[in-house]
Amino acid sequence: MTEQRVSYTLDSSLETIDSAEEKATRIATELGFGDDEVMQISMAVREGAVNAVLHGNAYAPDKKVTLAFERIGEELVITIRDQGKGMDLSKIPNPLAPENLLKTSGRGIFLMRSFMDVVEIRPSSTGTELKLIKRVHGSTEGGKEASQ
Amino acid sequence: MTMKVSTRQVDGVTIVDCSGRITLGEGSVILRDSVRDLLSKGNKKIVLNLADVNYIDSSGIGELVSAFTTTKNQGGELKLLNLTKKVNDLLQITKLYTVFDVKDDEATAVKSFK
């Protein structure tokens, strides 16, 4: 990523999910993240894009997903916005709870939180805004727990 | 890389050789259809060989869970074979490693069926 910030406006389609993942992989690689971190970042972006396309915009052709990558100091800040109705985080079950282990969905946000240093999910003026932050390895001691 | 599957029989056990990506969309659908097809034909001892699966997302994980429970509910058994490090790590993180019967040797996997 030669510029400090790039953003994309994408359709609510399966192709957008693959495209978002590919962009994340390319940009994270360009920024010098290691292979494992690139995989983590690309997977977190993929899961965020899935949420935006499926659960946010529900594939609506008139709704868009915006995806932005920004290098701020020693952090890669990724923002994904949809135009959906928003989500109630309190209703998302813990996928590690024994009663939920065999559920076939509900692991996306958990994986994002596992792979990124910061995950913030909040309502925006038009839908839901997801912010994912990954620090360049070793730039800051410790990790910051995800917040809403 | 598109998801591909092929099946073969070894001592009454169906080995499903999977390659590519198990992700939302085509990859998940191909896996789902393959397992359902096997079960409908009475093949209830199933091993998913994931040696060449290089990527899986949360939808793919859900599809593995679905395959496991669908097979179990029909009186069968489904086991996983030859996990790549990425898939292994994901199953560890999600605590599913303890749910699935995971093998790293085909002969052992085949013999492990009752």
Side-chain angles (χ1 to χ4, degrees):
Chain A
M1 186 166 66
T2 53
E3 300 174 28
Q4 289 300 299
R5 185 177 193 279
V6 290
S7 66
Y8 307 88
T9 301
L10 304 165
D11 293 331
S12 301
S13 66
L14 282 177
E15 289 73 21
T16 282
I17 295 166
D18 290 337
S19 172
E21 179 194 335
E22 290 164 8
K23 288 174 171 58
T25 299
R26 177 174 53 79
I27 289 169
T29 301
E30 288 175 3
L31 288 176
F33 285 98
D35 289 347
D36 286 348
E37 290 174 314
V38 169
M39 187 279 294
Q40 292 174 340
I41 293 165
S42 66
M43 182 168 279
V45 169
R46 180 178 183 86
E47 297 297 339
V50 167
N51 281 352
V53 169
L54 267 73
H55 307 303
N57 292 351
Y59 293 113
D62 60 327
K63 293 181 177 177
K64 299 294 182 184
V65 174
T66 58
L67 168 66
F69 299 87
E70 190 168 11
R71 170 74 184 260
I72 302 176
E74 296 301 312
E75 294 180 341
L76 170 61
V77 180
I78 302 161
T79 308
I80 301 174
R81 294 188 182 89
D82 65 45
Q83 296 178 308
K85 295 178 179 176
M87 65 173 73
D88 184 350
L89 288 175
S90 67
K91 291 185 178 177
I92 297 175
N94 174 11
L96 301 187
E99 67 272 21
N100 296 326
L101 275 184
L102 289 180
K103 289 193 173 176
T104 57
S105 61
R107 296 181 177 86
I109 292 174
F110 169 79
L111 290 177
M112 285 187 255
R113 286 176 168 159
S114 298
F115 292 150
M116 303 299 283
D117 292 308
V118 177
V119 176
E120 296 176 350
I121 302 169
R122 65 183 69 167
S124 74
S125 56
T126 56
T128 298
E129 177 184 292
L130 167 69
K131 183 177 285 187
L132 306 169
I133 298 177
K134 190 75 168 178
R135 298 190 184 96
V136 175
H137 185 67
S139 64
T140 306
E141 290 189 10
K144 182 179 174 184
E145 184 50 58
S147 62
Q148 297 185 27
Chain B
M1 182 180 174
T2 309
M3 166 83 168
K4 292 179 181 175
V5 299
S6 61
T7 61
R8 52 195 168 90
Q9 297 290 325
V10 179
D11 294 340
V13 174
T14 305
I15 310 288
V16 183
D17 296 307
C18 308
S19 63
R21 295 160 53 98
I22 308 176
T23 56
L24 178 72
E26 190 181 24
S28 292
V29 171
I30 290 172
L31 176 60
R32 185 185 318 152
D33 289 349
S34 298
V35 171
R36 286 181 179 175
D37 184 54
L38 288 171
L39 291 171
S40 71
K41 293 174 179 171
N43 298 298
K44 296 186 176 179
K45 296 177 180 178
I46 300 172
V47 173
L48 297 183
N49 178 10
L50 303 180
D52 293 322
V53 171
N54 48 32
Y55 194 94
I56 186 168
D57 66 4
S58 66
S59 298
I61 294 171
E63 209 54 56
L64 290 181
V65 172
S66 177
F68 174 81
T69 55
T70 301
T71 304
K72 191 175 181 181
N73 290 341
Q74 296 194 25
E77 279 187 276
L78 182 141
K79 307 185 183 207
L80 304 182
L81 174 66
N82 293 330
L83 304 186
T84 60
K85 182 179 182 303
K86 285 180 185 176
V87 175
N88 182 80
D89 289 349
L90 277 174
L91 293 189
Q92 295 279 4
I93 290 170
T94 54
K95 290 191 175 179
L96 286 169
Y97 197 86
T98 55
V99 172
F100 289 107
D101 189 356
V102 180
K103 306 293 185 187
D104 56 11
D105 173 75
E106 183 175 309
T108 305
V110 170
K111 286 179 183 173
S112 67
F113 283 88
K114 296 167 188 171

